Amino acid sequence: MQKNLFLGVEAIGQGAIDGGISGVYAYPGTPSTEITEFIQESEQAVEKGIRSKWSANEKTAYEAALGMSYAGKRCMVCMKHVGLNVAADAFINSAITGINGGMVLTVADDPSMHSSQNEQDSRFYGKFAMIPILEPSNQQEAYDMVREGFELSEKLEVPVMVRITTRLAHSRAGVIRSEVLAENDMVLPSDPSQFVLLPAIARRRYKGLLEKQELFEKTAKKSKYNTYTKGEDKSFGIIACGIAYNYLKENYPKDDCPYTILKLSQYPVPQKFLDKMAKHCEEVLVLEEGYPVVEEHIKAVFKKDIQVSGRLSGALPRDGELNADLVGKALGKETQLGADVPELVVNRPPALCQGCGHQDMYKSLNEALDKYTKGRVFSDIGCYTLGALPPYKSIYSCVDMGASVTMAKGAADAGLIPAVAVIGDSTFTHSGITGLLDAVNDEANIIVVISDNESVSMTGGQESSALGKIESICTGVGVDPNHIRVLTPLKKYHDLMVETFEEEIAYEGVSVIVFRRECIQAAAKRLRKEKKMKDNPTK
Amino acid sequence: MKTDIILAGVGGQGILSIASIIGDAAINENLFLKQAETHGMSQRGGAVQSHLRISDSEIAADLIPMGKADLILSVEPMEALRYLPFLSPEGYVVTNTTPFVNIPNYPDVDAVLAEIKKQPRFVAIDADKIAAEIGNKRASNVVMLGAATPFLNIEPEKIEAGIAHIFSRKGEAVVEMNRKAFKAGLDFAMANK
């Protein structure tokens, strides 16, 4: 059969389409963004009318997906690991409401923090919510697990989490597709109280979820994605979770591993496999990407009878992503190093693009704040976070989506005046609006800079939910229209930008200064597209 | 047959196009392929790399282990040096000699090239100059692809077919120009390896 060369994220997008989804809901976040983009650009998805527009944030995405499931249709919701923090309220409760149409939550974790603020492990969240987790070991499994995940979700009557990590998300391999499943018809839940989490109902539903745990474990035991291979050498057993299985196999290219191997790709961890391991192995090594989730679990199970090693024991590093070399080392294999990196090689940190509007915004901000002590600018998450690096060194915080506005407010409450927040357009609608409302209600003395490049640029220029709405949102939230200022961040307006800052610093209350100029990457992309349309209008 | 390639450069230099052409050729040869690449924040002017693994049998890891790469293919000279710990003792470095200077502390270019010449097996090619002579500076990554082809274990004709396939949407003139760029790189590598 024809192999498709798919990135892991593309395999997931195709798996969802072929699995019969009627909608995908997401907010962009590396390394999960391209799942939704793939569906948005898929002709097959367009023909089927699959809903795929970006959501304002992960919580709204999750809840909308749950609503689609309520109506009986299959749906997927995608996010990166920190996005699940935003959606956590809905996520945890959805395990208790259960689903109607099949629902798959795909979360992409980012160990080594290639483009994230932390490397939290979503398997903890899955365990916390007490739902089944699927963790593919390669791109083919990513496709198969998502496609089949909807049926599993419907069978077990809960959302199912598919957890991947950066490496699988952004690596390409051949994937063979299976038949396309039909979409569900719309059908309302048969139990009218299912989605009503009033305490009395919630208690009943929660008991139901607890009772189902055994079924989940039994299902994982029978899963074709979990395999137990008994080894000849009894000294060692290996549990390889998700992509870590690849790194294990890389160390035994001839399939000649003498040890017992449990390939674990569906959770909860089946106790029966552990019982078997306890009989066969003197020591168990856990290979897992992220936190020591399984290692902690089996340490408690095996107590002191069997030695457990992994990230906690120091056999593997506690942080960062795994690779074949680290796994080889944990297995006592010698690694071969190439030549050293010559000393003259220097780092090449990411930087704002030449000609980017954020640069002009930071130049004016720096000049306006020059007369004050440093440390007055709270930032947020997006391209403009690069303003923390030289040559600008303008900002002093980057914590989570929306934290710029609220942290500036808190610092102003403490007496830090002026206090400035810098937030992007998309981040503002994701999580800035409510913070701004707090600031207005509290008459906080802050300046909120919305650096509006009219797209979600850091993740590749997706459409921003804020497009054309910023001033009206700010007015609606209660900011005095006289203190909502709109500027174009261009070199020629530098003096005007500095003056505007000075005027708003002098004002006691909430000011919003919008710096609006299209992202230069998005502009270049748009111009190329327009030229193409002009050259060949039929396409 | 197994070829492990580290593709190196700076975000926006076109290493993913090189990867997709090789990938296209490999898939048409019914070979197994894994290609891991850098997305997100590090794309913005930062160093980027792609691990490309091709084999006639199934490939396990998405990343190439240390000291196992058969080839470092870099579209910029300093980036070629960054990944030396991945290169096998028998491996080749194929690099463009035109630097991509977007940092204030870029090292002395002659010193960088001297480090490359210290490598036991290398091809150093001024792909930007060759691409300009052909008439399109943007084709320098395809010149680099040509220069790497003798080390890929895939016949040059198959790679050329990949070029025709990938660029076909852009018209015959673009395909022809890229073919020329490819040939120029290939000829240089054959004469200088």
Side-chain angles (χ1 to χ4, degrees), chain A residues 509-522:
Chain A
V510 177
S511 311
V512 173
I513 309 178
V514 182
F515 287 87
R516 178 168 298 134
R517 182 147 72 85
E518 187 181 15
C519 162
I520 60 157
Q521 300 289 351

Side-chain angles (χ1 to χ4, degrees), chain A residues 171-207:
Chain A
S171 175
R172 217 176 287 276
V175 172
I176 296 168
R177 286 174 58 189
S178 306
E179 65 166 313
V180 179
L181 305 175
E183 288 178 52
N184 285 357
D185 291 329
M186 194 174 80
V187 54
L188 294 182
S190 54
D191 168 12
S193 73
Q194 179 188 343
F195 288 89
V196 187
L197 295 185
L198 278 167
I201 303 168
R203 277 182 219 118
R204 175 170 58 79
R205 298 270 333 161
Y206 181 53
K207 276 192 205 300

Side-chain angles (χ1 to χ4, degrees), chain A residues 342 344, chain B residues 77 81 108-119 122:
Chain A
L344 59 82
Chain B
L81 300 171
D108 178 61
V109 180
D110 290 333
V112 171
L113 296 178
E115 284 292 341
I116 283 164
K117 285 175 186 155
K118 277 189 208 163
Q119 301 310 311
F122 71 92

Side-chain angles (χ1 to χ4, degrees), chain A residues 203-220:
Chain A
R203 277 182 219 118
R204 175 170 58 79
R205 298 270 333 161
Y206 181 53
K207 276 192 205 300
L209 178 65
L210 292 173
E211 278 161 15
K212 274 195 218 161
Q213 295 305 305
E214 210 180 304
L215 171 65
F216 295 171
E217 199 183 311
K218 225 162 91 189
T219 310

Side-chain angles (χ1 to χ4, degrees), chain B residues 150-172:
Chain B
F151 315 102
L152 294 180
N153 292 318
I154 299 177
E155 286 164 41
E157 295 74 37
K158 311 280 183 189
I159 305 284
E160 227 179 300
I163 291 175
H165 187 206
I166 298 274
F167 290 107
S168 62
R169 277 171 303 165
K170 299 188 174 173
E172 187 49 38

Side-chain angles (χ1 to χ4, degrees), chain A residues 366-410:
Chain A
N366 280 356
E367 194 175 318
L369 287 184
D370 211 20
K371 46 176 117 28
Y372 303 96
T373 53
K374 295 269 178 205
R376 294 167 178 279
V377 186
F378 301 86
S379 180
D380 228 295
I381 293 166
C383 292
Y384 48 92
T385 314
L386 297 170
L389 305 176
Y392 305 103
K393 293 184 171 176
S394 305
I395 61 173
Y396 288 82
S397 77
C398 161
V399 178
D400 67 65
M401 297 283 281
S404 60
V405 180
T406 31
M407 280 179 72
K409 180 196 173 289

Side-chain angles (χ1 to χ4, degrees), chain A residues 8 35 64 75 123 186 198 233 263 281 337 371 419:
Chain A
I35 302 170
C75 57
R123 293 177 304 165
M186 194 174 80
L198 278 167
D233 189 330
K263 171 185 176 285
C281 314
L337 258 181
K371 46 176 117 28

Side-chain angles (χ1 to χ4, degrees), chain A residues 266-299:
Chain A
Q266 183 170 336
Y267 304 76
V269 184
Q271 179 63 34
K272 285 205 170 154
F273 288 131
L274 301 183
D275 294 343
K276 271 191 184 177
M277 277 201 135
K279 277 187 207 149
H280 296 153
C281 314
E282 291 160 22
E283 186 183 340
V284 175
L285 170 71
V286 185
L287 307 174
E288 55 193 325
E289 187 93 299
Y291 285 6
V293 176
V294 172
E295 189 180 354
E296 278 187 347
H297 175 80
I298 68 165
K299 251 182 109 149

